[in-house]
């Protein structure tokens, strides 16, 4: 079968490799759709640890092709989405119910073969059913959506509250929709590209801000009255963290979601955080949220088609992951 393999730092290529089989406790999934994530580019460049050689692809959806020994709940033919993060269930974080912080986390598409392939074998316990007939492209959004849902859980948006989302990539544009679904009365999106700001307005944002147009903090504070209740930092750049902390109302919450490169330091003013009782939270991966994300995708409540800017085959993946995002790119979906 064909698979896109990371073989060494910066060396990604489509290869012909043996089709995997479903071992005990596993299912074999025929991949129908897989999303390219910014993390795939980080892995390509060695900015995020991976196994090697390994087939990349951790956001995917497909049909159960074969069922291994001692698997219950699957007969074959079901449409599934797979939670890529396999926790050990033995370390302290796992015992505390925080599998995203597992000491031995082993992610599919990172440390074991993933979904940029025709087939992938996964532990059956990682798979979640999707309704038959659902567009597999929508199913492939379950993984990033699951991460966003964790951020929402942490943020505690209240109906009628105000939310600022910093960064209008696919994550920011999902967050805009989720904030509205959660009941936020005001949703501000800050991002540089005009087309994304326009799309955000169609997806439920109540206002947008171009960071190049002036003082972002003053703009958001002016529009929200006394500052926003919640900031979701989805850009992963130092200035958005600093801006986000300053645009909160007293007692507000900033959720750090964007990945800033390892080692980057960002000056903050602890006195301001203290006297305003700012809650600074982080949301990492998808603890216990994949099933909810699958249900949400299945419900059709989110607009996902507008986020897909490119659909490609396996042969195009290496060139796309090996290059920076093209202007206008929001989400690239691979259909093996
Ligand atoms: P992305 O496409 O890189 O989106 C981030 C966007 O932020 C950029 O496209 C850019 O859009 C915008 N941006 C950059 N500088 C900005 C600035 N100064 N002010 C405002 N906006 C700015 O990435 P994504 O896929 O949407 O993901 C967002 C972040 O979440 C990434 O860092 C990703 O690694 C991270 N992530 C975290 C988790 C987790 O579990 N915590 C899970 C998935 C992804 P414009 O060009 O329009 O400004």
């Amino acid at each position: 079968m064909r698979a896109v393999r990371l073989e060494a730092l910066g060396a990604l290529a489509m290869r012909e490799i043996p089709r995997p089989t479903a071992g005990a406790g596993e299912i074999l999934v025929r991949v129908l759709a897989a999303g390219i994530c910014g993390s795939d580019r980080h892995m390509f460049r060695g900015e995020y640890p991976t196994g090697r050689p390994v087939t990349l692809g951790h956001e995917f959806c497909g049909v159960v092709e074969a069922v291994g020994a001692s698997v219950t709940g699957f007969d074959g033919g079901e449409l599934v989405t797979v939670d890529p993060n396999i926790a050990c269930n033995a370390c302290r974080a796992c015992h505390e119910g925080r599998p995203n912080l597992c000491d031995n986390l082993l992610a599919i598409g990172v440390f074991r073969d993933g979904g940029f392939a025709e087939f992938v074998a996964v532990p059956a316990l990682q798979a979640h059913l999707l309704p038959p007939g659902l567009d597999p492209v929508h199913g492939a959004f379950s993984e990033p959506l699951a991460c966003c849902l964790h951020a929402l859980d942490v943020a505690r948006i209240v109906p009628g509250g105000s939310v600022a989302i910093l960064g209008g990539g696919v994550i920011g544009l999902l967050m805009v929709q989720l904030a509205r679904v959660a009941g936020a009365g005001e949703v501000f999106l800050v991002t540089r590209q005009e087309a994304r700001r326009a799309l955000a307005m169609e997806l439920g944002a109540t206002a947008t801000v171009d960071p190049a147009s002036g003082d972002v903090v003053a703009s958001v504070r002016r529009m929200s009255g006394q500052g926003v209740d919640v900031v979701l930092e989805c850009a992963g750049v130092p200035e958005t963290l600093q801006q986000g902390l300053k645009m909160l109302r007293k007692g507000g919450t900033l959720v750090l979601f964007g990945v800033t490169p390892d080692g980057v330091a960002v000056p903050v003013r602890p006195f301001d955080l203290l006297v305003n009782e700012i809650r600074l939270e982080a949301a990492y991966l998808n603890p216990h949220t994949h099933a909810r994300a699958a249900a949400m995708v299945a419900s059709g409540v989110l607009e996902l088609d507008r986020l897909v800017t490119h659909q490609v085959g396996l042969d195009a993946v290496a060139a796309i992951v090996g290059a920076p995002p093209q202007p206008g790119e929001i989400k690239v979906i691979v259909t093996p």
Side-chain angles (χ1 to χ4, degrees):
M1 68 160 194
R2 291 167 305 137
V4 182
R5 308 277 288 166
L6 183 66
E7 295 173 331
L9 203 69
L12 186 66
M14 193 176 76
R15 299 285 185 219
E16 196 65 39
I17 61 168
R19 181 198 285 199
T21 53
E26 292 185 341
I27 55 173
L28 182 69
V29 176
R30 179 159 48 89
V31 181
L32 297 179
I36 293 181
C37 169
S39 313
D40 296 313
R41 290 188 167 105
H42 288 302
M43 292 179 220
F44 172 82
R45 295 194 295 259
E47 296 163 358
Y48 196 92
T50 65
R52 288 182 216 133
V54 70
T55 303
L56 296 186
H58 57 276
E59 304 177 354
F60 60 94
C61 167
V63 168
V64 179
E65 183 80 8
V67 177
S70 65
V71 169
T72 54
F74 297 100
D75 299 317
E78 297 91 347
L79 187 69
V80 291
T81 161
V82 175
D83 174 356
N85 297 309
I86 306 171
C88 73
N89 289 319
C91 71
R92 179 172 174 166
C94 284
H95 285 164
E96 289 176 346
R98 304 181 76 179
N100 55 325
L101 304 183
C102 171
D103 288 339
N104 308 299
L105 204 63
L106 188 110
I108 299 166
V110 181
F111 278 99
R112 62 178 270 173
D113 288 344
F116 294 154
E118 292 175 82
F119 295 92
V120 55
V122 301
L125 291 174
Q126 299 297 125
H128 298 265
L129 287 172
L130 291 167
L134 184 89
D135 183 345
V137 172
H138 294 183
F141 275 89
S142 302
E143 196 279 340
L145 184 60
C147 296
C148 294
L149 288 181
H150 176 46
L152 241 70
D153 290 346
V154 169
R156 297 190 221 145
I157 293 169
V158 293
S162 55
V163 180
I165 294 154
L166 311 184
V170 69
I171 293 292
L173 292 168
L174 285 170
M175 294 288 202
V176 164
Q177 300 184 61
L178 292 173
R180 287 315 290 259
V181 170
E186 291 177 305
V187 177
F188 307 108
L189 178 74
V190 181
T191 204
R192 295 167 304 181
Q193 294 179 51
E194 201 281 327
R196 291 172 173 195
R197 295 196 300 275
L199 178 56
M201 292 301 287
E202 294 177 39
L203 297 177
T206 51
T208 63
V209 179
D210 175 2
S213 70
D215 187 337
V216 176
V217 174
S219 298
V220 173
R221 290 196 78 89
R222 187 176 58 250
M223 288 189 289
S224 60
Q226 296 188 319
V228 289
D229 300 322
V230 169
V231 169
L232 301 172
E233 195 291 313
C234 304
V237 292
E239 61 263 33
T240 48
L241 174 59
Q242 292 174 306
Q243 292 162 349
L245 288 169
K246 290 181 195 152
M247 63 179 70
L248 286 167
R249 69 164 171 80
K250 290 184 177 186
T253 299
L254 182 139
V255 181
L256 183 62
F257 190 87
V259 178
T260 315
D262 191 12
V264 169
V266 182
V268 296
R269 298 172 59 164
F271 181 83
D272 294 349
L273 304 186
L274 177 71
V275 297
N276 293 308
E277 280 207 348
I278 296 302
R279 210 162 59 95
L280 176 52
E281 296 274 358
Y284 181 55
L285 303 179
N286 57 345
H288 312 296
T289 51
H290 203 95
R292 281 161 54 204
M296 204 164 194
V297 164
S299 77
V301 72
L302 299 176
E303 172 55 61
L304 301 174
D305 290 329
R306 303 282 306 277
L307 306 182
V308 179
T309 49
H310 304 75
Q311 284 203 40
V312 300
L314 284 173
D315 51 342
V317 174
I320 293 172
V321 171
Q326 295 301 302
E329 176 185 317
I330 300 178
K331 188 55 142 182
V332 182
I333 294 285
V334 184
T335 47

